[in-house]
Amino acid sequence: MRIKLMPTSPYSKGKARQYITTFIASLSFLTVGQSVAWPSPTIVKIMAYETPIYLDLSQISWMVSLMFFGNLMSPIPAGYLMEKFGRKKCIIYVTTLQFSSWILILIGQSVSSLYIARFLSGLFFGLISTVEPIYIGEIAQSDIRGRLSTFNNLMMSIGMLLTFVIGPYISYYSLAIVSLLLTFLFFIMFLFMPESPYFLVKKDKNEMARKSLSWLRGDKNKIELDMELNMIEKTVQEQLENQSSYQEIFVSKGSRKAFVISEIFAALKRLSGNGVIQTFAPTTLPHLTFNFLNSSQCVIIFGIIGVISCLCTVLIADKYGRKILLSISCFGCAVTTLISAFWFYIETKTDIAIEFLNGIPFIMFSIHTASYSLGLGSAGGTIKGELFPANVKSKMSALTTITLAVTSFILNKFYLIIAYEEGVYLNYVIFSISCFAGLIFTITYLPETKGKSLQEIQDILNGIERQKITTPVLSRIV
């Protein structure tokens, strides 16, 4: 009896190729995760004089937040670049920014070199966050698009975990070298990936679009391929009838609704507290948790929980739908940050002895990490890939990334300042209120997009009812 190790049907081959393409593309977010997590072990080394450069508290806050300032600067150019050069070439070109960042960290001998390195990494973060989710949304077929959109958050979590695990135990220079090598690995592998068929159709390169789509769909028969290509051409044509400008975002009901949803969730991803919780955990957690876990070990556990949660999300994203997972995610983050706020308030603002409960922050942060990964972590990529209409997709994606960057910059810049001036509990009050507000927004405003084609999603956003075609072939068309 012969065992088939490789998929043989066009549908199975197509799914396998889409998974491979998404995995390789999402390695860009693994390198972003390394940059986001880099301050966590590095701050400890800086305070212990184990780095070639010493920074005070104010300089550390700038070093951390400048990455997100760079993130703020790059989304608008990203929209232009992805439309001029294509999704694939844009991703390849901007990877040079991440190369430059790690090289500067390796050879820099001044505070300003660290500032520039972090800024360049932020530029890369903003560009990738704008372009790559759109690329994934355009290559994926509807029945697995939700699952594929979770890869970015998974890979970012893996990148963070890798830094949390090895960062405290290797040198400042060794950590930079590992990160540089993984960036190079992504660059080489992505060179062999196809361009988005949607972009190629948009640029009237229909034959190239046919080749790209044929590979992505497992070389399926000409009739099915032509049917899907015609669907893509129709979708692109309908959405390109209006001139592409920022004003177009607010012209149609569907665009306005997609814009509101994307902006709210972009801000909520950071206002949930996830990024700063992990970045500043070494300075926030008690010296010893449960009297035997130090802060670096706690951060490693957070990273492991994040990766496991992301893996679970990949498996269930297309089963339970975006709305349910986001609701659970918002609720979990809201409750855990509220309990954390109470604990930190009692510890710092009262005389009540709670040292015997020093495991509560760790437990709450762990549940928070799992809750965030379940929905909010992948929300941005899913929304960019599914909700944005083609004629303003690059512009809406850019504005969403700017909102994410502004929120990230503010939180990372002022987290330590708020902690020292007022008390760390106030940060968690803000996070909790934001998540409860996000829960209400998700329940009342967010449409369910599970299993819907890109055209069906636009119809839902615009309040258009069309008779659904349920033939086996069309049920798999994007």
Side-chain angles (χ1 to χ4, degrees):
M1 187 172 105
R2 299 172 64 183
I3 300 175
K4 296 180 180 179
L5 297 178
M6 299 296 291
T8 55
S9 70
Y11 182 67
S12 298
K13 282 198 297 183
K15 287 180 68 174
R17 289 174 181 178
Q18 289 169 65
Y19 274 106
I20 292 170
T21 303
T22 301
F23 170 78
I24 292 174
S26 64
L27 286 174
S28 60
F29 276 84
L30 184 146
T31 71
V32 168
Q34 291 179 295
S35 295
V36 171
W38 179 81
S40 184
T42 303
I43 288 173
V44 176
K45 286 182 170 63
I46 290 172
M47 302 306 289
Y49 298 93
E50 296 176 1
T51 62
I53 307 166
Y54 180 78
L55 292 80
D56 60 27
L57 180 63
S58 176
Q59 291 171 326
I60 287 174
S61 69
W62 275 111
M63 182 267 290
V64 173
S65 57
L66 271 172
M67 177 178 180
F68 301 100
F69 185 70
N71 191 357
L72 172 63
M73 297 291 103
S74 54
I76 298 297
Y80 169 78
L81 292 171
M82 67 187 284
E83 294 301 332
K84 180 174 178 60
F85 298 109
R87 285 53 164 148
K88 176 184 174 179
K89 286 183 179 179
C90 183
I91 292 172
I92 291 172
Y93 295 159
V94 303
T95 305
T96 56
L97 295 170
Q98 190 75 327
F99 279 129
S100 302
S101 173
W102 291 119
I103 290 172
L104 265 177
I105 289 173
L106 265 175
I107 66 175
Q109 296 294 318
S110 66
V111 174
S112 59
S113 64
L114 277 187
Y115 285 170
I116 295 170
R118 295 289 291 170
F119 180 77
L120 290 175
S121 184
L123 289 177
F124 174 74
F125 189 4
L127 289 159
I128 286 296
S129 297
T130 304
V131 180
E132 198 268 3
I134 290 177
Y135 175 78
I136 299 302
E138 292 179 346
I139 68 163
Q141 57 197 53
S142 61
D143 59 333
I144 59 172
R145 190 186 304 115
R147 185 172 296 174
L148 296 183
S149 70
T150 66
F151 272 49
N152 290 342
N153 190 47
L154 170 63
M155 297 306 290
M156 189 167 178
S157 296
I158 291 174
M160 293 176 70
L161 174 60
L162 178 63
T163 301
F164 293 151
V165 169
I166 68 174
Y169 307 107
I170 63 176
S171 72
Y172 171 89
Y173 293 109
S174 296
L175 182 58
I177 290 171
V178 170
S179 302
L180 179 63
L181 291 175
L182 286 173
T183 303
F184 181 72
L185 176 66
F186 156 69
F187 178 82
I188 294 298
M189 295 177 70
F190 193 69
L191 289 173
F192 300 96
M193 295 300 101
E195 178 58 274
S196 158
Y198 274 82
F199 171 77
L200 294 171
V201 167
K202 192 174 181 180
K203 295 299 181 181
D204 295 323
K205 298 179 180 180
N206 289 358
E207 189 56 38
M208 294 176 66
R210 176 185 295 277
K211 291 180 181 178
S212 173
L213 188 64
S214 177
W215 187 85
L216 288 166
R217 298 300 183 262
D219 307 312
K220 63 184 180 182
N221 68 65
K222 186 176 183 299
I223 295 176
E224 289 186 334
L225 189 65
D226 286 343
M227 194 176 296
E228 181 166 357
L229 192 59
N230 290 336
M231 179 78 79
I232 292 174
E233 291 172 354
K234 180 182 177 182
T235 299
V236 171
Q237 185 59 40
E238 286 182 357
Q239 296 178 350
L240 290 178
E241 289 178 353
N242 299 317
Q243 288 186 349
S244 178
S245 68
Y246 284 98
Q247 292 179 337
E248 291 298 320
I249 294 173
F250 308 100
V251 170
S252 71
K253 176 183 176 182
S255 294
R256 290 194 299 272
K257 187 167 186 176
F259 178 73
V260 170
I261 292 170
S262 65
E263 293 299 298
I264 292 294
F265 279 106
L268 189 59
K269 277 172 72 73
R270 290 296 167 256
L271 285 170
S272 68
N274 181 264
V276 291
I277 285 174
Q278 296 196 348
T279 298
F280 295 106
T283 60
T284 302
L285 289 170
H287 178 65
L288 284 179
T289 296
F290 301 125
N291 298 320
F292 68 90
L293 283 175
N294 64 39
S295 57
S296 295
Q297 292 168 333
C298 289
V299 171
I300 292 172
I301 295 172
F302 296 153
I304 294 171
I305 292 172
V307 170
I308 294 173
S309 301
C310 289
L311 284 170
C312 293
T313 305
V314 169
L315 298 175
I316 66 176
D318 283 314
K319 181 177 181 181
Y320 294 104
R322 299 20 160 189
K323 191 165 186 172
I324 292 175
L325 294 180
L326 279 167
S327 297
I328 297 172
S329 182
C330 288
F331 180 76
C333 290
V335 172
T336 52
T337 49
L338 181 61
I339 295 173
S340 298
F342 276 119
W343 191 91
F344 286 119
Y345 181 83
I346 293 172
E347 186 209 23
T348 58
K349 298 296 183 179
T350 73
D351 295 326
I352 301 173
I354 56 170
E355 287 78 9
F356 68 99
L357 295 175
N358 63 14
I360 286 182
F362 170 77
I363 294 171
M364 291 302 104
F365 287 6
S366 298
I367 298 173
H368 183 279
T369 300
S371 299
Y372 176 84
S373 300
L374 187 64
L376 286 171
S378 58
T382 303
I383 289 170
K384 289 178 183 179
E386 292 189 335
L387 298 189
F388 295 171
N391 63 322
V392 290
K393 183 172 287 190
S394 61
K395 293 176 173 59
M396 290 180 73
S397 182
L399 292 176
T400 300
T401 304
I402 288 174
T403 300
L404 181 68
V406 169
T407 313
S408 299
F409 177 78
I410 292 172
L411 290 177
N412 281 276
K413 183 70 180 76
F414 291 101
Y415 180 90
L416 288 178
I417 295 174
I418 291 173
Y420 279 92
E421 294 293 332
E422 181 60 33
V424 70
Y425 78 93
L426 184 57
N427 288 303
Y428 293 86
V429 170
I430 295 170
F431 301 154
S432 183
I433 292 172
S434 301
C435 291
F436 276 119
L439 174 61
I440 296 171
F441 178 81
T442 301
I443 294 172
T444 59
Y445 199 74
L446 182 70
E448 181 54 77
T449 59
K450 182 185 74 169
K452 302 290 193 303
S453 70
L454 297 182
Q455 183 58 53
E456 287 172 332
I457 293 170
Q458 290 305 308
D459 291 343
I460 292 171
L461 292 171
N462 285 288
I464 299 173
E465 294 186 7
R466 298 189 184 184
Q467 184 176 0
K468 187 171 181 178
I469 302 172
T470 57
T471 64
V473 171
L474 288 182
S475 66
R476 299 196 298 265
I477 290 179
V478 176

